[in-house]
Amino acid sequence: MYPVTKDFLGKPAPPGYVAGLGRGASGFTTRSDIGPAREGATGGKEGSKRGRADDDNDDGNSGRFANAENEEGLFSGMAYEQDDEEADQVWAMIDAKMERRRQQRQQQRRRAKGAEEEGARADEGEDPELRGLKRQLQGLSEAEWGAIPEVSQVAESAARAKRRRKAAVGRRGERFAQVSDSTMVAGLGLAGHDREIGTETEAGAMTDLVALGQARDDVLRLRLDQAGDSASGKTTVDPRGYLTSLNTVAVQNAADIGDIARARTLLRSVVQTNPKHAAGWIAAARLEEVAKKPARARALIAQACDNCPQSEDVWLEAARLNPRDTARAVLASAARSLPRSVRVWTCAAELEARAGDTAAQRRVLRRALEFVPTSVALWKAAVALEPPDDARVLLAHAVELVPLSVDLWLALARLETYDKAQRVLNRARRAVPTSHEVWIAAARLEESQGRAEAHHQTGAATTSLGPIKGQDQDQDQNQEGTEKSLKLAEGSLKQAEQIESQYHARVLRVMTKAVASLANSGAALDRDAWLAQAQQCERDGYVATCRAIVAASGAVGFDAGDSDAERSAAWAAEAERLVPGSLETARALLALAVEAQPGRAELWRAAADLERAHGPAAAAEAVLRRAVQYCPQEEVLWLMAAKDKWARQGDVAGARVILEEAFAANPASEAIMLAAVKLEAESGQPARALKLLERARSDRGFGARVWIKSAALLRQLGRADDALAVAAQGTARFPQAHKLWLIQAQLEPAATARQTLSRALRACPAEPVLWTSAAALEAGASVPRARAILERARVHIPREPQLWLAAVRLEARHSADAARALLARALQECPRAGALWAEAIVLEPRPQRKARSVDAMKNTDAGDPFVATAVARLFWSERRPEKARTWFARATAADPDFGDAWAWWLRFEAEQPPPDDASDHVARVEAACAAAAPCHGQHWPPIAKDPANARLSTVEVLRLVAAHLGTAAAAPQL
């Protein structure tokens, strides 16, 4: 029989065929064949279920291949090689370059759009034809420009024509108009009718508008006070009065603290349940005391003493509740029950002290020390009652019994002589090696001994001078004896200084050992703690110890790697923090700083400022002398030394010598040259000053300040022609020096000054003072021209408060409404300008000034001098002198250099009635202004820089400015 030949033999297998899959032999399949084979081979219901299960377990991975840019599923199995990294870097560079190009295009589009919007704003409301006409105006000469008629003339002619037309109409017939409400109300008043200011509500009640206005004023006044307190850091609540009112609050009756009967029952249950509970007995006794039953309270506390004899609190409460005699017996029983209780013995001693029996108090304390010999408090109380000799004996015994008490050691050392005190402190140091107080006491001891010996030597020097001999003795012998005595006195004084310096060196050695010893003992203090000890020594009068503590502990808290600059900066900051409370500590810190970095001029300036503000003149001179030796190229230090020599000591020759040395060290210094000129000019040597200036002008190395000073000095000396020539030469050489242009314009006639200011504006278009000066020159002849100049100035210098203020004041001369409208625009451009807000307060009608003041303080910086001065003037106008004085003080404290505030304050004080007390407010204002030496303001500089006032002092200028403010042209009165 022939075998059957299968027809599929020799044929290729169908797609997805796996041999043996139907009978479960799937072990020969590969990973790539699993999916298609199972999917194709599994059919029916079971296959569909398995397919759905696989779809459910896909975990959202089916969407990985949906995005062509997502390579997670496509290339996740491939290795990331160097070629891939280079390709990614190239594409990243391309993306970054495209992003930069896109940002540049966006910036160009934004700039172009901004320029278009700015041009549209500039041309808004302007006819295109007028733009062409305005361009033609650029070719007009000054003569043609002056021939243009003013607006006021055209307006006046139009007004005359209108009046003529009205008169013609009136002649033809009568015309009538409605009567205003104010006229009708006035007519009612004349007719005798009752008038009430108010409105009637729907219910028929009258609303009092006057009361509403007063309430509004009160609210604004309260907001103004609160805003001022927040600006100065104060509060409107009186803390002392508040605490006093709290002390007056008391419980009305016993029922306010609970039901006394119920509390008594509860406490009785407590003490009956646990008779040894001391707190329960004390609470029950105090409850009876509150209930005003002292006898029952004493009975309860007596039972408590019987039940709780070992409780200090019970015995002390019993002594408090009983009268003095009974309390003495109670404390005696307490001492028998608790013989080692310090509180009981202290209470017994205090009881005798209140009775005034010192002997009994001494007996009690000595008896207490027999039972409690280690109590420091009892030893201190006993020593305080003894005379020095007995106290020394007691302390000698006390330190043996309580060797760890530093206070007892120090008290014993204070009572001993110098040699014995040294031995006592050495014993204390060995007993308590971790105590810094012992080391500080040893340093104080050395300083006190050195001071005593130096004082003794100084007294010997004074005695060596001897009495003045009589006139009948020989004059030669008298003179010879006097010289001899003087030499002996000088030698004694030098010896005293040497003795004191030796003891100061001992003090420094003691504190240096103290810092090292405490560090080795593990009880080292940080720098703040050492500074606190130094300040305490300074307060106690031990200056050398204070300086030694600072010098010895200066390196504490710094790492070994910290530089000298970091250390000196930290010491200077700490010194600034301690001024003016601890001057000696600050001096010591600055001495450390300059010693670490002697070449830093800032540290020398800080030390010199400290001495100039709080020290004697000799100390400041010594510091500055050392400073210029280490920093000879610092002009400021030379100028400070010369000014200190001239202003504080009145030594013109010494100041001249210092400036000569300074100029030798800095031959090209313009500041030193001008300081020498000022010294010669103000000391009555104008010829020498002019000679110095002439030599400086011939040197090409000096700048415009020399020419400005030359012109100003010549102008003060009355040589106007020479001053004008110097100013003209200076403007030709330094066209950017606007002060030279101003001096030249002030020395020229009006027509020439107009041309000079025109050239100055072309050379210095960014200087507001030139624009305001040009506008002020034109305002006297033509207001429209002045207005046009200020408008041009605001185009060149936008958002400049000075220009807006000049324009507002120009409009205020003719129309207050126009000035307020222009001021509103100015505040939109410069919302933080205090000068504009102050002008807004002045221009407002009286009812709106308080509200305007509140707005001004909200929109300006805290303590703005312009706003504070305006608020002070507002209170002055309301007859509230205390408030006005407070606000004037705030204005001068916020900016002491603002001279207008000082002038307004002086004028205010001068118009006030004499005070009831002995204080003179005018003198105090003048003294404070002289110390501040202001230089700026709106009214101060023109008067201070007037050539006629060149030699006046600060107080004299202050009086002139105050008198000038009283005129209507200077400033409007509130």
Side-chain angles (χ1 to χ4, degrees):
M1 183 175 182
Y2 294 99
V4 179
T5 302
K6 304 296 183 181
D7 58 349
F8 58 85
L9 294 176
K11 296 182 180 180
Y17 173 77
V18 177
L21 185 61
R23 60 180 184 274
S26 59
F28 301 95
T29 59
T30 62
R31 182 177 299 275
S32 61
D33 297 329
I34 289 176
R38 288 188 177 180
E39 187 176 1
T42 305
K45 187 174 181 180
E46 183 179 357
S48 63
K49 289 182 179 179
R50 189 180 295 116
R52 287 194 298 270
D54 293 340
D55 293 339
D56 295 336
N57 296 330
D58 193 36
D59 294 334
N61 293 330
S62 60
R64 290 185 299 171
F65 306 101
N67 187 5
E69 299 294 333
N70 185 9
E71 300 179 357
E72 179 182 358
L74 185 60
F75 301 105
S76 59
M78 297 182 65
Y80 188 75
E81 299 178 352
Q82 185 177 2
D83 296 340
D84 300 331
E85 183 178 0
E86 292 177 356
D88 290 342
Q89 292 178 358
V90 171
W91 284 110
M93 292 171 57
I94 294 173
D95 293 340
K97 185 173 182 180
M98 296 297 293
E99 179 67 19
R100 289 194 299 269
R101 185 182 299 175
R102 184 182 62 82
Q103 291 179 358
Q104 291 176 0
R105 286 198 297 268
Q106 288 181 355
Q107 291 177 0
Q108 291 176 359
R109 285 197 297 268
R110 282 197 294 267
R111 285 196 293 267
K113 185 177 180 182
E116 292 177 359
E117 292 178 355
E118 184 177 358
R121 286 195 299 269
D123 296 338
E124 185 178 359
E126 184 178 352
D127 195 351
E129 297 180 358
L130 293 179
R131 287 199 293 270
L133 294 176
K134 288 175 66 177
R135 293 191 188 95
Q136 296 177 6
L137 291 177
Q138 296 178 356
L140 291 180
S141 62
E142 293 188 4
E144 294 173 345
W145 182 265
I148 298 176
E150 296 184 4
V151 179
S152 58
Q153 299 175 357
V154 179
E156 184 178 357
S157 61
R160 286 197 299 268
K162 187 175 182 180
R163 285 196 297 269
R164 287 195 298 269
R165 289 195 300 270
K166 287 184 177 180
V169 172
R171 287 192 297 269
R172 288 196 298 268
E174 294 182 354
R175 300 181 66 180
F176 299 93
Q178 295 181 356
V179 181
S180 63
D181 295 340
S182 59
T183 306
M184 296 175 64
V185 172
L188 290 174
L190 292 175
H193 295 282
D194 260 344
R195 293 188 294 115
E196 293 184 1
I197 302 176
T199 59
E200 187 172 357
T201 61
E202 295 179 358
M206 291 294 295
T207 301
D208 192 354
L209 296 181
V210 176
L212 287 177
Q214 293 176 354
R216 177 177 175 274
D217 291 343
D218 294 338
V219 171
L220 289 175
R221 186 180 300 110
L222 178 60
R223 291 175 61 188
L224 192 61
D225 295 341
Q226 291 176 350
D229 292 332
S230 64
S232 60
K234 299 180 180 179
T235 176
T236 56
V237 179
D238 183 12
R240 185 176 301 175
Y242 183 70
L243 293 177
T244 305
S245 63
L246 286 181
N247 291 332
T248 59
V249 177
V251 179
Q252 298 294 329
N253 47 44
D256 294 337
I257 61 172
D259 189 356
I260 294 180
R262 184 168 177 270
R264 185 182 291 120
T265 303
L266 292 174
L267 291 174
R268 186 184 300 115
S269 175
V270 169
V271 298
Q272 288 177 358
T273 304
N274 186 9
K276 301 298 182 181
H277 191 260
W281 289 106
I282 295 174
R286 290 184 179 179
L287 178 66
E288 299 300 336
E289 184 183 9
V290 171
K292 306 299 182 183
K293 295 184 179 181
R296 184 177 296 179
R298 295 190 190 104
L300 284 174
I301 204 65
Q303 296 179 21
C305 293
D306 296 336
N307 287 281
C308 306
Q310 300 299 318
S311 175
E312 291 181 343
D313 296 331
V314 170
W315 289 109
L316 295 177
E317 188 69 15
R320 187 183 68 83
L321 292 175
N322 285 284
R324 182 176 301 161
D325 296 336
T326 309
R328 187 179 288 112
V330 168
L331 290 174
S333 301
R336 286 192 293 271
S337 299
L338 300 170
R340 299 186 60 82
S341 175
V342 178
R343 294 176 61 192
V344 170
W345 289 110
T346 304
C347 183
E350 291 176 354
L351 183 64
E352 299 298 340
R354 287 195 295 269
D357 192 351
T358 307
Q361 185 181 4
R362 187 182 294 112
R363 287 196 302 270
V364 169
L365 290 174
R366 294 204 173 191
R367 183 65 175 170
L369 288 173
E370 294 178 3
F371 290 97
V372 196
T374 59
S375 173
V376 178
L378 293 176
W379 280 111
K380 288 182 178 180
V383 168
L385 297 175
E386 301 294 339
D389 296 336
D390 296 340
R392 189 182 300 111
V393 175
L394 278 178
L395 285 172
H397 186 53
V399 295
E400 294 178 357
L401 296 175
V402 194
L404 298 181
S405 175
V406 177
D407 294 337
L408 296 179
W409 285 108
L410 297 182
L412 178 59
R414 282 193 294 268
L415 294 177
E416 295 288 356
T417 59
Y418 172 68
D419 297 332
K420 293 183 179 179
Q422 280 185 326
R423 291 194 289 269
V424 168
L425 291 175
N426 288 331
R427 291 171 55 198
R429 180 172 53 82
R430 288 190 294 269
V432 193
T434 60
S435 173
H436 62 276
E437 292 92 345
V438 176
W439 289 99
I440 294 176
R444 289 187 175 195
L445 178 64
E446 297 295 340
E447 183 178 358
S448 300
Q449 183 65 17
R451 192 184 304 164
E453 292 188 10
H455 181 69
H456 177 71
Q457 192 69 26
T458 305
T462 306
T463 307
S464 64
L465 291 175
I468 300 176
K469 296 184 178 181
Q471 297 180 359
D472 54 347
Q473 297 183 2
D474 188 13
Q475 294 182 359
D476 296 336
Q477 295 180 358
N478 190 5
Q479 184 177 2
E480 182 179 356
T482 303
E483 293 178 355
K484 194 175 193 179
S485 300
L486 287 173
K487 290 181 180 179
L488 291 174
E490 290 177 0
S492 299
L493 291 175
K494 290 181 179 179
Q495 189 175 1
E497 293 178 358
Q498 293 177 359
I499 292 173
E500 194 168 3
S501 62
Q502 290 176 1
Y503 277 94
H504 288 176
R506 291 184 184 181
V507 172
L508 181 58
R509 285 198 300 270
V510 168
M511 290 313 306
T512 304
K513 291 181 180 179
V515 173
S517 176
L518 292 174
N520 295 331
S521 302
L525 303 180
D526 57 4
R527 189 164 67 252
D528 293 336
W530 281 119
L531 287 179
Q533 294 296 328
Q535 295 177 63
Q536 184 61 44
C537 291
E538 180 182 354
R539 287 191 290 269
D540 295 341
Y542 293 92
V543 177
T545 304
C546 166
R547 295 176 180 175
I549 291 174
V550 174
S553 63
V556 174
F558 292 105
D559 297 332
D562 292 340
S563 62
D564 292 339
E566 294 174 348
R567 298 190 180 195
S568 60
W571 290 328
E574 290 172 349
E576 184 179 0
R577 178 177 58 87
L578 295 177
V579 174
S582 302
L583 296 178
E584 293 297 335
T585 309
R587 286 191 181 99
L589 287 169
L590 288 174
L592 282 178
V594 297
E595 184 179 357
Q597 280 191 307
R600 284 189 61 184
E602 300 84 11
L603 300 177
W604 289 109
R605 286 188 62 183
D609 290 339
L610 175 64
E611 298 298 340
R612 294 173 69 186
H614 306 284
E621 182 182 1
V623 170
L624 290 170
R625 276 294 182 185
R626 291 183 58 203
V628 297
Q629 290 177 2
Y630 285 102
C631 306
Q633 306 302 323
E634 291 293 333
E635 301 174 357
V636 178
L637 297 177
W638 288 105
L639 295 178
M640 290 174 65
K643 184 177 180 181
D644 188 77
K645 195 74 173 178
W646 174 31
R648 296 186 64 184
Q649 303 180 24
D651 188 359
V652 178
R656 188 180 292 116
V657 171
I658 292 175
L659 289 176
E660 289 176 358
E661 295 176 359
F663 199 75
N666 303 274
S669 174
E670 183 178 295
I672 295 175
M673 172 63 73
L674 292 178
V677 170
K678 182 178 180 180
L679 175 66
E680 300 297 345
E682 296 190 8
S683 61
Q685 299 291 334
R688 301 183 64 175
L690 290 175
K691 188 175 181 180
L692 288 174
L693 288 171
E694 184 178 357
R695 188 171 63 184
R697 290 198 305 271
S698 62
D699 190 351
R700 303 292 296 181
F702 293 109
R705 293 176 59 192
V706 173
W707 296 82
I708 295 172
K709 185 65 178 177
S710 301
L713 182 59
L714 289 171
R715 188 179 179 186
Q716 293 174 9
L717 297 175
R719 298 166 59 178
D721 297 336
D722 296 338
L724 180 58
V726 170
Q729 295 174 10
T731 53
R733 186 172 177 179
F734 304 100
Q736 303 300 324
H738 67 280
K739 291 185 178 180
L740 281 174
W741 288 109
L742 287 176
I743 294 175
Q744 182 179 353
Q746 291 169 3
L747 294 172
E748 292 175 341
T752 311
R754 187 178 292 109
Q755 298 177 2
T756 300
L757 288 176
S758 178
R759 289 186 286 118
L761 291 175
R762 287 193 295 270
C764 309
E767 293 295 337
V769 65
L770 291 177
W771 293 100
T772 54
S773 300
L777 181 63
E778 295 292 349
S782 174
V783 175
R785 293 181 185 176
R787 188 182 296 117
I789 290 174
L790 292 175
E791 289 177 356
R792 288 174 53 203
R794 293 198 297 272
V795 172
H796 285 279
I797 315 174
R799 295 180 177 84
E800 174 57 43
Q802 185 178 352
L803 298 176
W804 283 104
L805 183 61
V808 169
R809 289 180 174 175
L810 179 65
E811 298 297 337
R813 298 179 186 178
H814 305 87
S815 173
D817 295 334
R820 281 192 286 270
L822 185 60
L823 184 58
R825 291 177 52 199
L827 290 175
Q828 291 178 355
E829 292 286 334
C830 309
R832 307 289 295 177
L836 294 178
W837 281 106
E839 193 71 15
I841 296 173
V842 174
L843 290 179
E844 286 292 333
R846 186 178 295 273
Q848 284 82 30
R849 285 175 182 167
K850 289 182 181 177
R852 202 62 165 170
S853 301
V854 175
D855 295 339
M857 284 186 292
K858 287 181 180 179
N859 290 284
T860 56
D861 298 332
D864 186 275
F866 292 95
V867 176
T869 304
V871 173
R873 293 174 58 195
L874 180 61
F875 283 120
W876 179 12
S877 66
E878 293 181 352
R879 304 292 190 272
R880 300 176 65 184
E882 293 301 326
K883 282 285 186 181
R885 188 174 291 113
T886 301
W887 279 94
F888 277 127
R890 289 175 183 171
T892 54
D895 187 4
D897 196 47
F898 185 58
D900 293 357
W902 292 105
W904 279 114
W905 193 1
L906 179 65
R907 183 168 181 80
F908 160 75
E909 297 293 354
E911 294 186 3
Q912 298 304 309
D916 297 334
D917 54 0
S919 62
D920 188 358
H921 295 294
V922 174
R924 287 193 296 175
V925 171
E926 290 179 349
C929 181
C935 299
H936 297 89
Q938 297 176 358
H939 304 282
W940 184 280
I943 296 177
K945 294 182 178 181
D946 190 349
N949 305 328
R951 295 295 186 87
L952 299 182
S953 63
T954 303
V955 176
E956 293 172 340
V957 174
L958 173 66
R959 293 170 183 168
L960 289 178
V961 178
H964 174 70
L965 292 177
T967 62
Q973 302 294 324
L974 291 177

